[in-house]
């Protein structure tokens, strides 16, 4: 399997109002390094997985609505625990939509799977990986 990975970052604010999260129940900020890996069984006729420039632009567009936002105040996240794992799944879903819509070019439509990794710190990260179906 072939893969290409691109990276960006987001700064967000949020709270995780559940005793499970201890001090993170309170409002706090997080800076996530976001890696998105694109996978396919065979390369394109240009010997690539996906156009890296298009992948970078698409990731930036997907992250833009989250950057510098208090996630607790965004309607789509109201009442949701916006954990690192949850955000990885959310970004994955947006990247799949983009791939299917042609935002990654025609080559993006031939992807097998996508993995989104959020690096919370240099010590902890979470990811979501799934098929582009």
């Amino acid at each position: 399997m072939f893969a290409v990975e691109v990276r960006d970052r987001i700064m967000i604010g949020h709270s995780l109002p559940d005793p499970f999260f201890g001090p993170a129940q309170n409002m706090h900020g997080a800076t996530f390094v976001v890696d998105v890996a694109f996978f396919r069984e065979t390369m394109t006729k240009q010997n690539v997985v996906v156009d890296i420039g298009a992948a970078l632009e698409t990731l930036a567009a997907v992250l833009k609505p989250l950057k510098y936002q208090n996630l607790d105040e965004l309607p789509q996240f109201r009442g949701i625990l916006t954990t690192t794992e949850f955000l990885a799944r959310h970004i994955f879903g947006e990247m799949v939509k983009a791939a299917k819509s042609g935002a990654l070019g025609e080559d993006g439509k031939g992807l097998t799977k996508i993995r989104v990794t959020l690096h919370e710190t240099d010590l902890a990260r979470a990811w979501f990986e799934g098929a582009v179906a």
Side-chain angles (χ1 to χ4, degrees), residues 10 31-32 63 97 113 115 120:
I10 54 172
T31 300
F32 294 108
L63 295 180
K97 281 188 220 171
K113 66 179 178 174
R115 178 177 59 223
E120 193 167 341

Side-chain angles (χ1 to χ4, degrees), residues 5-117:
E5 192 166 20
V6 297
R7 175 175 277 186
D8 202 339
R9 64 180 44 89
I10 54 172
M11 295 175 73
I12 57 97
H14 69 158
S15 62
L16 299 169
D18 183 297
F20 175 84
F21 296 102
Q25 293 178 76
N26 300 315
M27 177 59 62
H28 61 280
T31 300
F32 294 108
V33 174
V34 182
D35 290 328
V36 179
F38 303 91
F39 298 86
R40 64 185 310 137
E41 296 289 333
T42 59
M43 290 188 288
T44 69
K45 66 182 179 178
Q46 292 82 18
N47 283 336
V48 301
V49 172
V50 70
D51 179 315
I52 290 174
L56 285 165
E57 289 175 10
T58 301
L59 177 56
V62 164
L63 295 180
K64 187 175 181 180
L66 305 177
K67 284 187 173 185
Y68 302 106
Q69 296 297 314
N70 175 353
L71 301 184
D72 296 350
E73 295 177 353
L74 297 179
Q76 67 268 37
F77 299 140
R78 204 167 299 280
I80 295 173
L81 295 169
T82 53
T83 62
T84 307
E85 298 90 333
F86 171 84
L87 290 173
R89 172 60 177 92
H90 170 76
I91 294 166
F92 166 85
E94 295 301 308
M95 293 302 294
V96 168
K97 281 188 220 171
K100 288 181 175 183
S101 75
L104 296 168
E106 283 302 309
D107 298 335
K109 294 179 181 177
L111 295 170
T112 305
K113 66 179 178 174
I114 293 175
R115 178 177 59 223
V116 176
T117 305

